[in-house]
Structure formats: structure tokens, C-alpha cells
Amino acid sequence: MNDVQQIPEYKNLEDFDYFLPEELIAQLPLKKRDNSRMMVVSRKNSCVENKHFFDFVNYLNKGDVLVLNNTKVIPARLIGTKETGAKVEIFLLHPAKENSDDSKIQQKTLWYALIKNLKRLKPNDTVKISDELTVKLLKKGDSTLSGPDENLVELIFEGDDINSVLEKYGEIPLPPYIQRKNISEDKKTYQTVFAKIPGSVAAPTAGLHFTPEILDTIEKKGVHIVYITLNVGLGTFLPVKEKNILDHKMHTESFEITEDAASIINETLNPKDGIKKNDVIAVGTTVTRTLEAVYKKYGKILPIKDETDIFIYPPYKFQVIDKLLTNFHLPKSTLIMLVSALAGRDLILKAYNDAVKEEYRFFSYGDCMFIDK
């Protein structure tokens, strides 16, 4: 069930629209990650400043908690051929549920997938990706992103590590607004430098700006850096089609919070002397959704492995997040609704229109926004 608000401040989809020239959509990353521009949005003063990401450290204070998503993008795009020679493209979405005794599920050989040229396949047909990897269609669905009608496939491969096989033969699934073919560098640049846990089909893009040097500087400043994992699904790119945003069905994503991460965040939210001195800064909407979902359900941050379909939009009251580093999001998307809930819809649209005038680079490989207090 969607986690929605009772009294929406804005419920019309058009309330979250803005004009974006196509040429501002970044098609390639910058050569230096931390050279991206950073728009700083001050909620207190209702104004914006134009900075660069290497200035981000200056907005953090000793004792603050910086929360990052350490998920790793898997090379989920597989291109192969049937025995007839017909070309087939398969996009792995997520493994079948692991709460089963089925050994194939436990070994992560059963996946749900989108399939291009689906009409060319029938159940039990196989697609050869390489000499080491074959995909067998078990159940033919309608290629929707959620629900019982997805395509179920079996990955047949040599060895016992599917991640290494995918690294070898799969391609990184770039977002649909990047209108170019994959290049070899994408496997590195469409990945955060702290990516660790394989499972996403899209990058937590706010994290793409960090470098090891920036992280080291932040740590030396006395800021607590903690990691959670949310596996970003393809649903993050799904457009909102309903005119009333309350009719939109959110996608579900799996996440995990470790005991150490939960402890540090809770200590910041509820210090022993009762006086909150430091902030929780989320890097990305994935971190925001995870922490807010857990707190809303349990009243604190727990070490937990779960799923969420939380839908955040104005006038949501944030319980965990004080500040947010995020990229620029698509018009009419659930993500622009989330940042509007934090900073106010009018201020966000003003900031986005200013970003267009200043020719910021938009979306995954683009520039970033820091929403300050």
C-alpha cells in the first residue's frame, strides 16, 4: 500500500512541471567528479547560491552525520541471440524473492526482466549471451515493472558467482534520457566510488560527485560517514501519468540498514542530553526515502532489511533528514515532489528555473543541488 499523506498541499501533476531544454541533459560525466556545479538552496532565506561540489565540505559541521547509499549498479543489460539468430535484449530488474526454499532462487539464478522483442520468445526459449551465459524464459509476462505479470527468466552460467558473469557480459543500464550507446567508461563513471553491494539497475546519482579525497576530507573534519543500502529499481524513471498525484502507484525497492548506521543516526536524532546539536545529511533521495520510511514505521532507525514504497510530497513532515544533497530531477517526477516537500514547491521551482538560466547540467551525469536549512 502506498504511504501517502492525508492533506496534500499540491495534488495536481502540473504543479511539479518546469521547462527544460533538451541540450541541458548531461550525456557524459565530467572528467573530474567533484568539479560539478552545486546549487545551494537556503530554506531559511529562500534564496540560492551557485557553488561547486568541492565546496560541499564547507556546509558540514563536526558531529554531523552524512548518510550515503553504497549500492552497486549491476550490468543488467544483456544482448544475445536465439537459436534462429534473432537478436534479443534482456534487462534484468531484480532477483526472484529470496524468502523461498527453491535452490535456484537462493542462488540468484531466477530473475524478473524486461525483454525487448518479447514477441520473438515463448516459454522455455533460450537466448545465448555468450559461451558462458544463457538466459531461459520461464514465464512470459507483459514487461510491466511490478506485479505478477513480469517476465521470469533463469540465468544459466558457468561458475557460482553471477555478479562476476554479469560484469563480464552485461552492460550498464543507462537511463533512457541518455541518448547514446554505452561506452566502456560507463561501468566506472555510472558507479559511486563507494559502491559496494551489487543490486541496483540505476545509480544513486547524488553520490556520483564524491571522490576518495572529498570523503577523506569530510571524515577528517569530524563528520560521521555512514552507509545504508537501497537497491535502486527501474521504477525510479517511471513517469507519473495520473493528473492527481495521489493516484500514482509507487514502485517498491529493497533496502538494508546496518546496526552501526542505525546507532549513529539515532544518537544524532536523540542525544543523551536531549539537545540536538548536529544534522543528518542525506546524500540522495534513495537515502531519504529509506530513513524516512523506517522512522515513520518504527519511530526510530532500526537495523533492518525491508522494502519501501513510501511516497513523499508536500506537505510531508521530515522526521530524520535535516539537509539533502541531490541531483536535478525530471519534471513531474516523484523525486521533484520529494525535494519540494523538503524545501517548498515554490522555492524548488524557482531554483530549477534559475538552474536552467544558468545552464546547469541536468539528471544522472549532471550537476547537483544542496538543500540547506
Side-chain angles (χ1 to χ4, degrees), residues 4-216:
V4 298
Q5 310 305 308
Q6 296 297 314
I7 309 174
E9 188 173 347
Y10 299 96
K11 65 179 182 179
N12 296 321
L13 184 58
E14 297 300 323
D15 291 332
F16 299 94
D17 194 14
Y18 68 93
F19 172 70
L20 178 65
E22 190 173 335
E23 60 268 21
L24 295 184
I25 300 174
Q27 298 296 308
L28 291 165
L30 296 178
K31 291 184 177 180
K32 293 191 66 176
R33 292 174 183 256
D34 59 352
N35 276 3
S36 55
R37 298 171 73 188
M38 181 177 73
M39 175 175 281
V40 179
V41 177
S42 169
R43 286 177 280 167
K44 180 180 179 181
N45 300 318
S46 296
C47 65
V48 303
E49 287 185 278
N50 298 312
K51 300 286 186 176
H52 284 86
F53 180 72
F54 49 69
D55 298 312
F56 179 63
V57 179
N58 300 328
Y59 292 89
L60 306 177
N61 298 305
K62 181 179 180 179
D64 285 346
V65 179
L66 185 70
V67 189
L68 303 104
N69 184 1
N70 65 359
T71 189
K72 188 174 183 180
V73 182
I74 60 172
R77 186 168 174 257
L78 303 174
I79 299 174
T81 55
K82 288 181 59 181
E83 290 181 4
T84 60
K87 185 177 178 181
V88 178
E89 182 176 325
I90 299 169
F91 192 120
L92 301 177
L93 293 174
H94 54 84
K97 293 288 185 183
E98 294 181 31
N99 58 351
S100 169
D101 293 332
D102 190 319
S103 62
K104 289 182 178 179
I105 292 179
Q106 293 295 330
Q107 294 166 19
K108 292 191 176 180
T109 60
L110 298 186
W111 287 67
Y112 289 106
L114 296 178
I115 300 177
K116 200 171 183 179
N117 300 324
L118 180 61
K119 62 185 179 181
R120 294 179 177 176
L121 296 177
K122 60 183 183 296
N124 294 318
D125 278 353
T126 59
V127 177
K128 182 179 180 180
I129 309 300
S130 72
D131 289 339
E132 296 178 50
L133 176 62
T134 299
V135 180
K136 182 179 182 180
L137 177 62
L138 299 181
K139 187 186 78 170
K140 194 170 184 178
D142 63 1
S143 290
T144 56
L145 297 183
S146 61
D149 295 326
E150 293 176 333
N151 304 299
L152 181 64
V153 300
E154 179 181 0
L155 305 184
I156 304 168
F157 57 94
E158 294 184 4
D160 56 5
D161 183 6
I162 184 57
N163 290 316
S164 64
V165 174
L166 292 178
E167 284 289 340
K168 195 172 181 180
Y169 298 108
E171 294 182 1
I172 287 292
L174 294 177
Y177 44 74
I178 294 182
Q179 299 292 315
R180 62 169 173 79
K181 292 183 178 181
N182 288 67
I183 54 178
S184 59
E185 288 84 353
D186 287 320
K187 282 193 174 183
K188 182 177 181 181
T189 57
Y190 194 63
Q191 203 81 265
T192 64
V193 297
F194 46 81
K196 184 178 180 181
I197 311 296
S200 286
V201 296
T205 55
L208 294 180
H209 308 280
F210 287 84
T211 64
E213 293 77 17
I214 289 281
L215 290 169
D216 185 57

Side-chain angles (χ1 to χ4, degrees), residues 267 270-275 277:
E267 286 175 9
N270 301 291
K272 292 179 180 179
D273 61 5
I275 302 172
K277 306 178 186 67

Side-chain angles (χ1 to χ4, degrees), residues 43 56 58-67 222-226 264-271 275-283 291 319-324 370-373:
R43 286 177 280 167
F56 179 63
N58 300 328
Y59 292 89
L60 306 177
N61 298 305
K62 181 179 180 179
D64 285 346
V65 179
L66 185 70
V67 189
V223 175
H224 303 288
I225 299 177
V226 301
I264 292 172
I265 296 169
N266 283 324
E267 286 175 9
T268 305
L269 295 175
N270 301 291
I275 302 172
K276 187 172 181 292
K277 306 178 186 67
N278 294 104
D279 295 321
V280 176
I281 300 102
V283 176
L291 297 182
Q319 301 295 320
V320 182
I321 302 307
D322 297 298
K323 303 175 182 179
L324 171 64
F370 178 56
I371 301 177
D372 201 356
K373 283 186 172 179

Side-chain angles (χ1 to χ4, degrees), residues 337-368:
M337 295 172 196
L338 185 152
V339 295
S340 294
L342 183 61
R345 175 248 184 200
D346 292 344
L347 180 56
I348 284 295
L349 289 187
K350 176 187 182 301
Y352 270 61
N353 288 326
D354 286 353
V356 170
K357 292 177 185 176
E358 294 291 330
E359 297 186 343
Y360 272 69
R361 302 165 73 250
F362 278 68
F363 306 158
S364 293
Y365 274 144
D367 296 315
C368 59

